[in-house]
Amino acid sequence: MEKTWRWFGPNDKITLEMLRQIGVEGIVTSLHHIPNGEVWSLGEVEKMKNYIEARGLRWSVVESLPVSESIKYGGPDRDQLIERYKESLANLGKAGVKTVCYNFMPVLDWARTDLEYPNADGTSNLYFNRAEFAYFDIHILKRPGAEADYDAETLRRMNTEVLPRMDAEAEHRLVDNIIVKTQGFVNGNISENDKEPVEKFRSLLALYKDIDRDKLRANLKYFLEAIMPVCDEYGIDMCVHPDDPPLQILGLPRIVTCADDIRWLLEAVPDSHNGLTFCAGSLSGGAHNDVVAMAEEFAPRTHFVHARICKVLPDGDFKESTHLDPRLVKIVRTFQNEDRPIPMRVDHAPLMLGDEKMGYNAGYSFHGRMLALGMVSGIMAAADADRKAE
Ligand code: DNO
């Protein structure tokens, strides 16, 4: 695999010079300053590419070229937005940037309830607490019918463990974690400048009131069929990011949650440029997924790897596990043994050794990710050595 790193552009506190020192070979980034739905001009693409190359690295992956909401729910302007998406892809292709990550999650990109959950060793990490999420859905969002979507044990925990400790400040923090802090920096729908994030969120949810899984699938197929000719012409690999968490949430349809979903997606548009971002971390947030088997099954259509993994607790909460988790060791070996250098970045590492004071984007610490990259690099080297010995 190619060792890459998610970098948020020239304003990122973690510089490309720093990344070269720690063994990073390729950069994963986006043109974060261009609003969703606008064309990425060739000039803007080349400017970013040149900036990266002038510092001895290459732009390996775009994460993300965001898919506008209207393409997902099938709004009246979707064809126009798809045309713009195709133009952006063509410009990336002309500049030689040929791996593009995107997601098809309605309204909300990834979701966590806690961004600094303390670990026993003094570091902290991201955490998803089901009962807190239910509290957000039922008591803050007040989504009609929400209660019916949670099992009795989650509701019991919500009433006995979460409700008693909730006050205005705790509610504010929960909203911030679930729909603000995790969304702005990934060019999501809600940003830190929004005054009424919950109101805005409700109106976004309303866009999907008539969209079920089948309709969302049809819209994804429509989008992929429309862009594949451009991908074929320029050799661009599209890599859908799985839904994080891989569950149906907030009454929204989610269609990249399990092996069957991925099989459907790859078969619906059989072009090899329709591929996957294998995010072991997202997929492992659901106890239904055997991520080790999924890596083996989907490796041939995987064009980008996110190396991290979660542990699901008995109550359905999940937290990030170590990058040396035996399941991740197997997954890294699977992709390292493919005979193409698939770009791989580590993901969602702990905050440690002062990271917590730096104001990094949630999940994107420096020391934590550096340690994780060291671990994953070790697994890769071991896989190579075993192959040579064979
Ligand atoms: C979160 C990320 C996601 C991912 C997008 C891709 O940390 O893994 O936000 O970048 O879903 O479109």
Side-chain angles (χ1 to χ4, degrees):
M1 290 188 288
E2 180 195 20
K3 293 173 198 167
T4 66
W5 183 279
R6 191 176 196 180
W7 173 76
F8 294 98
N11 293 331
D12 195 324
K13 292 183 190 109
I14 303 166
T15 64
L16 297 180
E17 288 76 8
M18 289 161 77
L19 296 180
R20 281 188 64 197
Q21 293 194 22
I22 63 170
V24 170
E25 297 158 343
I27 292 303
V28 175
T29 196
S30 178
L31 298 185
H32 289 286
H33 58 286
I34 301 185
N36 285 8
E38 284 186 19
V39 173
W40 288 13
S41 69
L42 183 57
E44 287 291 331
V45 169
E46 280 179 338
K47 201 163 132 200
M48 177 60 90
K49 185 179 183 241
N50 293 340
Y51 183 97
I52 295 170
E53 288 180 355
R55 286 155 184 84
L57 288 160
R58 63 183 291 260
W59 186 0
S60 304
V61 181
V62 174
E63 180 173 358
S64 298
L65 180 55
V67 177
S68 307
E69 217 56 49
S70 168
I71 296 179
K72 296 180 192 167
Y73 67 81
D77 53 349
R78 81 162 154 179
D79 288 334
Q80 188 192 348
L81 288 161
I82 291 177
E83 282 312 309
R84 291 196 199 149
Y85 202 96
K86 284 161 66 178
E87 262 186 72
S88 300
L89 284 177
N91 289 335
L92 285 163
K94 285 177 198 152
V97 183
K98 297 191 173 178
T99 306
V100 175
C101 171
Y102 71 101
N103 74 73
F104 220 74
M105 288 178 250
V107 184
L108 190 67
D109 198 314
W110 64 304
R112 289 296 180 283
T113 55
D114 199 337
L115 309 180
E116 294 192 31
Y117 184 82
N119 295 318
D121 59 8
T123 63
S124 70
N125 223 327
L126 305 166
Y127 193 93
F128 185 87
N129 180 313
R130 260 176 107 86
E132 285 184 5
F133 195 77
Y135 182 91
F136 165 77
D137 194 0
I138 297 168
H139 292 282
I140 300 178
L141 201 55
K142 300 186 170 55
R143 183 171 63 87
E147 266 195 62
D149 287 354
Y150 297 92
D151 57 90
E153 176 55 15
T154 301
L155 294 174
R156 188 198 62 75
R157 285 175 60 214
M158 179 189 79
N159 287 322
T160 57
E161 293 167 20
V162 182
L163 213 132
R165 61 176 155 82
M166 277 294 158
D167 55 19
E169 200 195 317
E171 284 198 356
H172 179 79
R173 204 167 38 242
L174 198 55
V175 169
D176 221 28
N177 289 346
I178 297 178
I179 62 173
V180 184
K181 277 207 186 114
T182 43
Q183 304 303 303
F185 77 91
V186 294
N187 290 66
N189 287 306
I190 309 257
S191 78
E192 310 238 350
N193 304 327
D194 284 316
K195 297 273 171 299
E196 303 280 351
V198 176
E199 268 311 307
K200 182 166 181 196
F201 195 72
R202 279 196 197 106
S203 54
L204 286 159
L205 288 184
L207 297 171
Y208 286 86
K209 68 178 181 352
D210 298 322
I211 308 292
D212 59 12
R213 272 172 54 89
D214 286 343
K215 288 200 180 123
L216 191 64
R217 274 184 166 181
N219 292 348
L220 174 55
K221 186 163 187 256
Y222 182 90
F223 166 69
L224 284 170
E225 281 173 346
I227 64 170
M228 275 304 123
V230 182
C231 297
D232 293 342
E233 183 179 346
Y234 292 98
I236 294 177
D237 288 329
M238 291 300 294
C239 319
V240 73
H241 189 284
D243 301 334
D244 179 2
L247 309 167
Q248 307 304 314
I249 55 169
L250 305 173
L252 293 167
R254 310 254 277 184
I255 54 171
V256 194
T257 63
C258 61
D260 277 346
D261 281 354
I262 296 173
R263 280 182 207 120
W264 174 85
L265 163 81
L266 300 179
E267 280 161 23
V269 182
D271 192 312
S272 70
H273 293 123
N274 167 33
L276 193 62
T277 296
F278 195 92
C279 178
S282 301
L283 293 166
S284 58
H288 55 281
N289 284 328
D290 177 349
V291 277
V292 174
M294 288 169 85
E296 278 166 20
E297 178 175 349
F298 300 122
R301 293 278 287 273
T302 294
H303 303 310
F304 183 30
V305 173
H306 284 184
R308 71 176 176 93
I309 198 145
C310 287
K311 197 174 265 173
V312 182
L313 307 175
D315 51 19
D317 289 5
F318 64 83
K319 60 178 183 184
E320 306 286 337
S321 180
T322 163
H323 287 73
L324 290 176
D325 183 303
R327 293 168 299 157
L328 193 58
V329 172
K330 289 187 189 153
I331 291 168
V332 168
R333 279 178 171 270
T334 297
F335 291 117
Q336 183 67 3
N337 287 338
E338 283 287 301
D339 45 7
R340 331 161 259 149
I342 308 175
M344 175 281 306
R345 70 169 180 86
V346 295
D347 199 12
H348 297 187
L351 288 170
M352 62 196 303
L353 305 172
D355 284 332
E356 57 285 359
K357 297 191 201 80
M358 297 296 290
Y360 295 133
N361 292 329
Y364 294 91
S365 63
F366 181 60
H367 294 122
R369 276 193 290 166
M370 178 168 70
L371 181 60
L373 178 62
M375 291 170 171
V376 173
S377 300
I379 305 168
M380 288 164 62
D384 288 348
D386 285 354
R387 267 217 300 196
K388 281 214 185 92
E390 270 167 18

